[in-house]
Amino acid sequence: MSQRTVSIYPGSFDPPTNGHVDLIERGAKLFAQLIVAILRNEEKASLFTVDEKSEMLREAVKHLPNVSVEAFDGLLVRFAADRGARVILRGIRAVSDYEYELQMALMNRKLQPGIETVFMLPGEAYSYISSRLVKEIYWLGGDVSSLVPPIVVERLKGKRI
Ligand code: PNS
């Protein structure tokens, strides 16, 4: 890996969690530039809009000078190639993540052989956090303040059912 490697960290981020931020911090140490790429998917019902996700992510990673946040449409590998990225960064929490990640990584490699997927493990303390569970716990009145960045707690309050 060269000192100038650009890496893309893609996801739905609905909402961003402390697990995402942990992985971004780890990736920012490895790569010269890390672009957090939010999927703009009209079909998938999201709690937060892409603009809201961007705002929350920017706030959560503002201490990392080599990290930027963007949204993307269409094929991830095309976006990555447009940005000159050679790496797609993904986190794997448990074995259950592996099958989906393997399929995506192999398909992305078939589509764009010049781009490698790199998997990293989040800190153990984050291995059970998912955006889906954060939303469920929040709706059921649970405390999510140790699971997501403070700005996400704030923005969740504006999302009453
Ligand atoms: O946070 P998620 O939902 O696990 O992220 C999934 C994401 C955004 C990485 C994946 O859905 C994706 O890359 N979508 C873009 C469309 C695409 O390139 N599809 C082919 C993947 S093999």
Side-chain angles (χ1 to χ4, degrees), residues 20 91-97 120-122 126-131:
H20 293 130
I92 289 201
R93 291 162 299 190
V95 176
S96 48
D97 286 337
M120 291 181 77
L121 306 179
Y126 306 106
S127 62
Y128 57 89
I129 303 179
S130 71
S131 299

Side-chain angles (χ1 to χ4, degrees), residues 136-147:
E136 186 172 320
I137 292 162
Y138 183 75
W139 294 137
L140 297 173
D143 179 10
V144 296
S145 59
S146 63
L147 308 176

